Amino acid sequence: MKQNYEIKTDRIHQAFFQYKKEHPEKLKQRLKFSWSNWGFGLEDFSLSCDRLKRAGISYIELHGNHYGPDLGYNTAEVLKIMNSYGIKAGGVCGMFSADNDLSSNRPVHRQAAIDYIKREAEFTEAVGGRYMLVCPAAVGRSKKYDDSELERSLDSLSRVADVFVEHKIRAAIEPIRSAETTLVHSIADAKNYIRLLAHPGVQHINGDVYHMLVEESHIGEALLDAGEQLTNLHMADSNRCALGYGFLDIDTIIMALYLLDYNNNENCFVTPEPLGPGGDPYPMQHSKTAPEILDKLVFDSVTYFRAREDAVLAMEE
């Protein structure tokens, strides 16, 4: 007798094999593999792009580091470096802490989040990104302020949501595990948040398999439930390390993405973000890591993912 998760996995596998049989042309285009670079910390941006180029990665999710009007990437410099390495921007990883919290009980912090989104949305369009990641509440804060966080978060984001339409980018709501934030922990939560906000500029989801391991009953099933709203998927193995280092069922995730026609959508990306185990990985964005460690993370992840993608596409029922 199979376990419940195995039954769900089998359903996805059977659906994939049927899809492969009926629509072989849909499987020709590979999934667009990107990389979230904020985990590279203070490393020179050209070194990061050189690493991705050597690993055969053509897309990058840029660190949303415009924390103030005088901080963050210079658009012209970033474009020059990316172009020199043949790298394109998939999107921008919005960073939301207690200092710029859409759900905060301190108006100054809500205003900081609104101003931050305006800066990052403009930057995202300027560098050719397709999406900007948005967290409804601060990441790294697991204790709620009060019972009005959701109301404040929706109100804050509604005041700035027009900028996503203005800059022709997707706002991607990211569910985060409850150990790291207080609002929106699952795909279902993200869909409900989007429904409550009811704004055309906020209609998409950024999944993250590490958080999904805790908050979803089955990752593949949750991805299918996200459907066309899914625009980016953060990847790390079960131990939040490089792909292939844990027990994550990557094959079923790949099958689910192909079932969504994810590989044929120019706005959809698979983006590793292996931050390592532990409760608070965020300080690394302001520190330095040895280049050889980052090299290994990137090369091992992309090699393993592409090998699994090859294996999945070669599988027969």
Side-chain angles (χ1 to χ4, degrees), residues 78-223:
V78 164
L79 283 171
K80 181 179 179 180
I81 293 170
M82 287 198 305
N83 289 337
S84 69
Y85 286 99
I87 304 290
K88 296 179 180 179
V92 167
C93 186
M95 310 296 288
F96 294 85
S97 69
D99 293 327
N100 64 332
D101 187 346
L102 290 165
S103 71
S104 180
N105 59 0
R106 296 190 62 189
V108 65
H109 291 161
R110 292 176 60 200
Q111 184 63 56
I114 289 170
D115 294 341
Y116 171 76
I117 288 172
K118 290 177 181 178
R119 290 190 296 270
E120 288 304 346
E122 180 180 3
F123 173 75
T124 302
E125 181 189 24
V127 296
R130 311 297 174 82
Y131 66 87
M132 177 186 166
L133 186 157
V134 176
C135 296
V139 182
R141 176 180 63 81
S142 59
K143 184 178 180 180
K144 70 178 183 178
Y145 295 120
D146 50 43
D147 293 329
S148 298
E149 285 193 10
L150 178 60
E151 182 179 357
R152 289 195 299 268
S153 178
L154 291 167
D155 179 70
S156 300
L157 191 53
S158 70
R159 293 172 184 268
V160 74
D162 285 345
V163 303
F164 299 112
V165 177
E166 176 188 344
H167 292 292
K168 300 179 288 294
I169 61 172
R170 295 177 163 190
I173 302 299
E174 181 175 16
I176 303 284
R177 62 182 181 147
S178 55
E180 295 184 40
T181 195
T182 55
L183 292 177
V184 184
H185 304 129
S186 66
I187 294 295
D189 288 347
K191 292 174 70 174
N192 184 58
Y193 184 90
I194 291 168
R195 179 186 63 80
L196 291 172
L197 189 68
H199 192 285
V202 185
Q203 290 293 317
H204 292 88
I205 296 171
N206 183 95
D208 187 309
V209 297
Y210 182 74
H211 300 299
M212 295 172 81
L213 280 164
V214 177
E215 301 292 345
E216 306 289 355
S217 62
H218 191 278
I219 293 177
E221 204 171 59
L223 292 174

Side-chain angles (χ1 to χ4, degrees), residues 8-312:
K8 294 176 180 180
T9 297
D10 284 349
R11 288 180 190 147
I12 293 174
H13 286 209
Q14 291 306 312
F16 173 77
F17 292 134
Q18 186 67 26
Y19 183 77
K20 180 180 178 182
K21 185 184 300 182
E22 295 177 357
H23 304 285
E25 75 283 358
K26 295 277 192 176
L27 276 62
K28 291 181 180 179
Q29 177 71 34
R30 292 302 183 91
L31 293 162
K32 285 178 283 299
F33 197 90
S34 181
W35 195 276
S36 187
N37 82 317
W38 71 263
F40 292 166
L42 297 177
E43 180 178 74
D44 184 270
F45 186 63
S46 62
L47 296 179
S48 300
C49 286
D50 178 69
R51 174 182 299 111
L52 300 187
K53 177 70 172 180
R54 287 185 286 112
I57 299 173
S58 301
Y59 296 96
I60 187 170
E61 179 183 84
L62 291 158
H63 178 189
N65 58 7
H66 297 92
Y67 299 108
D70 300 315
L71 296 173
Y73 290 128
N74 175 279
T75 301
E77 290 178 3
V78 164
L79 283 171
K80 181 179 179 180
I81 293 170
M82 287 198 305
N83 289 337
S84 69
Y85 286 99
I87 304 290
K88 296 179 180 179
V92 167
C93 186
M95 310 296 288
F96 294 85
S97 69
D99 293 327
N100 64 332
D101 187 346
L102 290 165
S103 71
S104 180
N105 59 0
R106 296 190 62 189
V108 65
H109 291 161
R110 292 176 60 200
Q111 184 63 56
I114 289 170
D115 294 341
Y116 171 76
I117 288 172
K118 290 177 181 178
R119 290 190 296 270
E120 288 304 346
E122 180 180 3
F123 173 75
T124 302
E125 181 189 24
V127 296
R130 311 297 174 82
Y131 66 87
M132 177 186 166
L133 186 157
V134 176
C135 296
V139 182
R141 176 180 63 81
S142 59
K143 184 178 180 180
K144 70 178 183 178
Y145 295 120
D146 50 43
D147 293 329
S148 298
E149 285 193 10
L150 178 60
E151 182 179 357
R152 289 195 299 268
S153 178
L154 291 167
D155 179 70
S156 300
L157 191 53
S158 70
R159 293 172 184 268
V160 74
D162 285 345
V163 303
F164 299 112
V165 177
E166 176 188 344
H167 292 292
K168 300 179 288 294
I169 61 172
R170 295 177 163 190
I173 302 299
E174 181 175 16
I176 303 284
R177 62 182 181 147
S178 55
E180 295 184 40
T181 195
T182 55
L183 292 177
V184 184
H185 304 129
S186 66
I187 294 295
D189 288 347
K191 292 174 70 174
N192 184 58
Y193 184 90
I194 291 168
R195 179 186 63 80
L196 291 172
L197 189 68
H199 192 285
V202 185
Q203 290 293 317
H204 292 88
I205 296 171
N206 183 95
D208 187 309
V209 297
Y210 182 74
H211 300 299
M212 295 172 81
L213 280 164
V214 177
E215 301 292 345
E216 306 289 355
S217 62
H218 191 278
I219 293 177
E221 204 171 59
L223 292 174
L224 294 177
D225 184 49
E228 293 181 354
Q229 289 181 285
L230 186 71
T231 194
N232 186 57
L233 183 63
H234 280 165
M235 296 284 286
D237 219 310
S238 56
N239 49 12
R240 216 174 195 177
C241 294
L243 298 180
Y245 285 21
F247 57 82
L248 185 69
D249 184 0
I250 293 178
D251 289 6
T252 300
I253 290 171
I254 291 171
M255 289 182 183
L257 293 177
Y258 273 94
L259 285 170
L260 292 174
D261 204 27
Y262 200 79
N263 56 312
N264 292 311
N265 190 321
E266 65 178 9
N267 299 306
C268 294
F269 303 87
V270 173
T271 306
E273 189 191 45
L275 303 173
D280 186 6
Y282 306 105
M284 71 169 56
Q285 66 186 293
H286 305 299
S287 61
K288 283 191 174 183
T289 302
E292 57 270 22
I293 294 176
L294 299 177
D295 284 352
K296 187 169 178 57
L297 275 178
V298 171
F299 280 83
D300 286 358
S301 291
V302 68
T303 300
Y304 188 77
F305 184 87
R306 289 305 187 195
R308 293 320 311 165
E309 189 176 19
D310 287 343
V312 165

